[in-house]
Amino acid sequence: MLKDVVFGQYYPAKSPVHRMDPRSKIVLLILYIVMIFIVKNFWGFLLTGGLLLATVFLSKVPLKSMLRSVKAIIFIILFTFIINIFFHKEDGAKILWDVWLIRNVTDKSLYYAIFMALRLLLLVLGSSILTLTTTPVSLTDGIESLLKPLSYIKFPVHELALIMSIALRFIPTLMEETERIIAAQKARGADFESGNLFKRAKALLPVLIPLITSAFRRAEELGDAMDARCYNGSKNRTKYKKLKFSLVDLFGTVLSLTVLAGVILCNLYLGATI
Amino acid sequence: MNVIEIKDLQFSYDEHQPVLKGLSLTVKEGEFLAVIGRNASGKSTLARLINGLISPLSGEITVLNIDARKKENLYEIRKNVGIVFQNPDNQMVASIVEDDVVFGPENLGIPREEIGERLEFSLKETGTAEFRESMASKLSGGQKQRVAIAGILAIKPKILILDESTSMLDPRGREEVMSVVKKLNRKEKMTVITITHYMDEVVDCDRVAVLNDGVIVKTGTPKEIFSDEKLLEATGMEPPVSMKISLALNKLGVNTPLTLDKQTLLNELLKLTKKPE
């Protein structure tokens, strides 16, 4: 459980996708999401789905880990599917099924529902590739670097990134502490397992309060330690770690742009069905 | 040369309870000084005053001839005085060891190439190079404190303060940390001030300052301090085992030299047990 929180879903492996610059991964993911939303027919999905499959294959992430992220939102996918199948209305639609409870299912609404479900599925799978192949730490680095231009309009980019990385740094520490406090309270006879939901939530109070107090104490000590190490905000600060745009990134960008062009061509010449 | 000069320093967190009551102390360049004293005697407060994390009510502190009471001097002083704190978990900023070590030099605006050099140097000196890419949370207490020292070394301070840095460690971790610090003192000529209540760590120091009730009551070599029974009693401290045994033997009328060194004591004891021919 601890590992899950610290690394997110990160799946460690040596692959070209893992090696990519976090910045290009984030930008390409955004591009991919845009593609999925402009796709107007199934040919477009064939292309974006192909891009996704190729990336999964190159990243060496097993399909099982990919499917785990789908499982988390399977309910949402089913829900949109059902809503669309019953309530999507279009002129000239042929009714396929209209018996008691299940009414108004037309060929158009079935098509639309499948299309939307597929869109969501591709969206989730694509995003999970990013979190599966990038550690939270380098994700933070990537976000900081991408937001850099905002610092010209006085947006505290460095501070934001530092907050994120300190939060990540303290997750395992606070998790450990939670376990310790729970054990200590259990030793004094606290009961966390029985009773209804409300009772159990209430039982957590003696865990949360010491945890929060200790978090504040830690924050204070960390602040002192940072002061003692000459922390002075982003003023005159250098950065040791440099992100590098390499050949893999170039390849990824070219591939994605090619698929984008393909999607646009599909939309223009193969008919927009949505 | 004196790197730190403290004169008649007073400090209190609230009006009714003064913590330091006119403390005076000088620290010489390159020396290994131990500050000992019972809990709440003001040891940690002293460390924080030297570094400018808090400022005194009255009295003088000069660090490397810079007035530590002036706010504009703090940055300069912190560049030269590094502190390793007590809790290894609460002084690391980054999740990854390497990222944490470079935090200090990044703050100072050191150019990239030089940060790289400092990183390599610090990791090597503290023996932390083998887990440079590890998660900080996966390390043992001793390893974490060594990383903390590496983070301080990367700033290249002239003075290193250990503020009870070994008190949360197991004996092995304590030894790891102390051997790194001793090496830095000997090889890099770094001035070290260790604030501790482990008497065994004090034995190898050049000089010991005893802090009691807000003032330094005595400074001297470890041997001078630990053979002063009145002082030990008044300040509630126990001497290291070897000194305890040699003191006890003397009390029993057995004539042994007072020693802090276990091996010397052992040799003396062996001599005593040998029957005269």
Side-chain angles (χ1 to χ4, degrees):
Chain A
M1 176 165 137
L2 206 114
K3 203 175 135 265
D4 268 15
V5 183
V6 179
F7 284 109
Q9 316 167 297
Y10 184 66
Y11 179 86
K14 281 196 181 347
S15 84
V17 184
H18 284 75
R19 262 207 319 276
M20 270 170 92
D21 187 327
R23 288 173 303 182
S24 39
K25 277 194 262 192
I26 295 169
V27 171
L28 291 181
L29 175 66
I30 294 171
L31 187 70
Y32 170 82
I33 291 171
V34 169
M35 281 191 244
I36 286 175
F37 277 97
I38 61 168
V39 161
K40 289 214 173 85
N41 53 41
F42 276 101
W43 297 107
F45 275 156
L46 209 63
L47 282 175
T48 45
L51 175 65
L52 179 78
L53 277 180
T55 319
V56 174
F57 177 74
L58 282 172
S59 72
K60 294 182 187 161
V61 174
L63 273 172
K64 221 169 84 191
S65 328
M66 298 286 306
L67 291 179
R68 254 216 317 249
S69 52
V70 176
K71 225 163 79 185
I73 65 139
I74 193 81
F75 177 75
I76 298 173
I77 295 181
L78 276 177
F79 186 74
T80 37
F81 182 79
I82 290 166
I83 292 288
N84 277 321
I85 216 171
F86 293 134
F87 296 103
H88 182 72
K89 295 229 162 56
E90 224 172 301
D91 294 335
K94 203 166 73 194
I95 288 178
L96 292 181
W97 189 277
D98 193 16
V99 194
W100 198 48
L101 277 174
I102 307 167
R103 310 187 73 113
N104 271 331
V105 178
T106 63
D107 57 345
K108 289 270 170 65
S109 75
L110 184 66
Y111 185 83
Y112 190 78
I114 292 175
F115 198 89
M116 285 301 157
L118 208 56
R119 183 176 270 176
L120 270 177
L121 192 70
L122 285 174
L123 192 73
V124 173
L125 286 173
S127 319
S128 71
I129 281 274
L130 176 70
T131 49
L132 279 163
T133 61
T134 322
T135 58
V137 175
S138 65
L139 212 52
T140 313
D141 287 339
I143 292 170
E144 180 180 11
S145 176
L146 285 173
L147 292 181
K148 201 91 215 205
L150 287 180
S151 62
Y152 289 108
I153 54 163
K154 299 257 155 70
F155 184 81
V157 177
H158 157 74
E159 282 77 6
L160 194 74
L162 189 68
I163 289 168
M164 274 169 70
S165 58
I166 289 177
L168 284 172
R169 148 77 187 81
F170 274 91
I171 287 171
T173 310
L174 292 178
M175 293 285 283
E176 239 169 63
E177 180 140 47
T178 313
E179 275 159 28
R180 244 194 335 261
I181 297 172
I182 288 181
Q185 301 291 31
K186 269 186 183 163
R188 293 172 195 181
D191 180 8
F192 297 107
E193 269 106 26
S194 59
N196 56 24
L197 199 67
F198 183 70
K199 246 188 183 151
R200 267 194 259 179
K202 214 176 147 191
L204 277 179
L205 214 61
V207 174
L208 287 178
I209 289 173
L211 187 68
I212 291 169
T213 346
S214 125
F216 271 102
R217 207 183 45 240
R218 283 177 193 282
E220 215 173 311
E221 279 181 35
L222 183 73
D224 273 350
M226 284 167 70
D227 267 341
R229 282 163 81 182
C230 306
Y231 182 67
N232 206 5
S234 56
K235 210 173 58 190
N236 289 329
R237 208 166 185 277
T238 41
K239 195 128 179 64
Y240 176 61
K241 223 196 232 165
K242 271 248 152 64
L243 298 171
K244 263 207 344 245
F245 192 86
S246 59
L247 222 61
V248 210
D249 300 285
L250 187 70
F251 178 74
T253 313
V254 170
L255 188 66
S256 303
L257 288 176
T258 315
V259 173
L260 176 68
V263 167
I264 293 171
L265 287 178
C266 283
N267 281 349
L268 289 176
Y269 295 107
L270 294 172
T273 53
I274 291 291
Chain B
M1 193 194 119
N2 291 335
V3 283
I4 299 175
E5 284 180 34
I6 299 171
K7 246 182 248 159
D8 203 24
L9 196 66
Q10 307 215 8
F11 181 83
S12 69
Y13 289 103
D14 70 85
E15 287 168 44
H16 311 292
Q17 269 190 322
V19 181
L20 299 182
K21 308 166 181 169
L23 180 147
S24 297
L25 179 70
T26 52
V27 183
K28 292 185 204 82
E29 187 173 14
E31 83 170 325
F32 199 125
L33 174 77
V35 177
I36 58 176
R38 63 179 109 199
N39 285 341
S41 59
K43 291 178 299 189
S44 293
T45 308
L46 180 63
R48 295 154 70 87
L49 280 162
I50 294 173
N51 194 269
L53 287 171
I54 46 182
S55 51
L57 285 180
S58 68
E60 288 170 29
I61 317 179
T62 19
V63 179
L64 299 163
N65 291 324
I66 310 168
D67 191 345
R69 291 170 305 177
K70 293 211 178 94
K71 236 188 164 148
E72 64 266 27
N73 291 340
L74 288 186
Y75 203 65
E76 198 53 38
I77 282 177
R78 288 178 187 159
K79 262 199 252 179
N80 287 303
V81 184
I83 302 191
V84 180
F85 293 91
Q86 181 175 21
N87 192 331
D89 278 324
N90 296 353
Q91 46 189 319
M92 272 183 212
V93 181
S95 308
I96 310 283
V97 168
E98 258 185 349
D99 296 354
D100 188 71
V101 174
V102 298
F103 180 72
E106 281 181 337
N107 288 338
L108 294 172
I110 309 281
R112 265 197 79 213
E113 296 72 40
E114 204 193 322
I115 294 183
E117 286 163 24
R118 288 184 177 202
L119 174 68
E120 296 308 321
F121 170 80
S122 310
L123 291 175
K124 212 181 117 217
E125 285 294 307
T126 51
T128 47
E130 53 180 312
F131 35 82
R132 58 191 300 164
E133 278 167 22
S134 305
M135 299 275 300
S137 52
K138 291 261 152 66
L139 304 179
S140 75
Q143 289 170 334
K144 281 181 199 165
Q145 285 303 57
R146 271 152 64 205
V147 171
I149 296 176
I152 299 291
L153 274 188
I155 302 174
K156 293 206 166 171
K158 298 206 166 64
I159 302 162
L160 176 67
I161 302 180
L162 304 176
D163 183 6
E164 304 211 26
S165 316
T166 58
S167 63
M168 289 176 83
L169 307 181
D170 55 11
R172 208 176 128 205
R174 274 213 296 278
E175 208 156 284
E176 278 174 27
V177 169
M178 285 322 283
S179 75
V180 166
V181 174
K182 277 175 199 159
K183 196 179 80 186
L184 287 172
N185 175 253
R186 250 180 291 118
K187 238 182 74 192
E188 306 296 326
K189 302 278 176 273
M190 194 177 258
T191 310
V192 177
I193 303 173
T194 171
I195 291 169
T196 181
H197 52 246
Y198 285 109
M199 297 308 153
D200 289 326
E201 284 174 14
V202 178
V203 174
D204 298 333
C205 291
D206 298 328
R207 212 157 56 96
V208 184
V210 183
L211 185 56
N212 193 40
D213 200 23
V215 286
I216 300 283
V217 287
K218 184 171 181 169
T219 55
T221 61
K223 212 169 160 181
E224 282 165 14
I225 298 289
F226 289 122
S227 50
D228 187 342
E229 280 184 279
K230 265 190 202 135
L231 174 82
L232 294 177
E233 206 171 308
T235 54
M237 282 182 305
E238 271 195 29
V241 178
S242 42
M243 181 56 89
K244 240 182 180 168
I245 294 174
S246 46
L247 279 170
L249 282 174
N250 273 298
K251 246 182 223 162
L252 288 171
V254 184
N255 200 9
T256 42
L258 296 176
T259 179
L260 284 167
D261 183 45
K262 280 181 191 149
Q263 196 56 50
T264 321
L265 179 71
L266 200 64
N267 292 341
E268 287 297 328
L269 290 179
L270 283 174
K271 249 191 254 166
L272 286 174
T273 51
K274 258 185 209 147
K275 283 174 196 140
E277 298 293 322

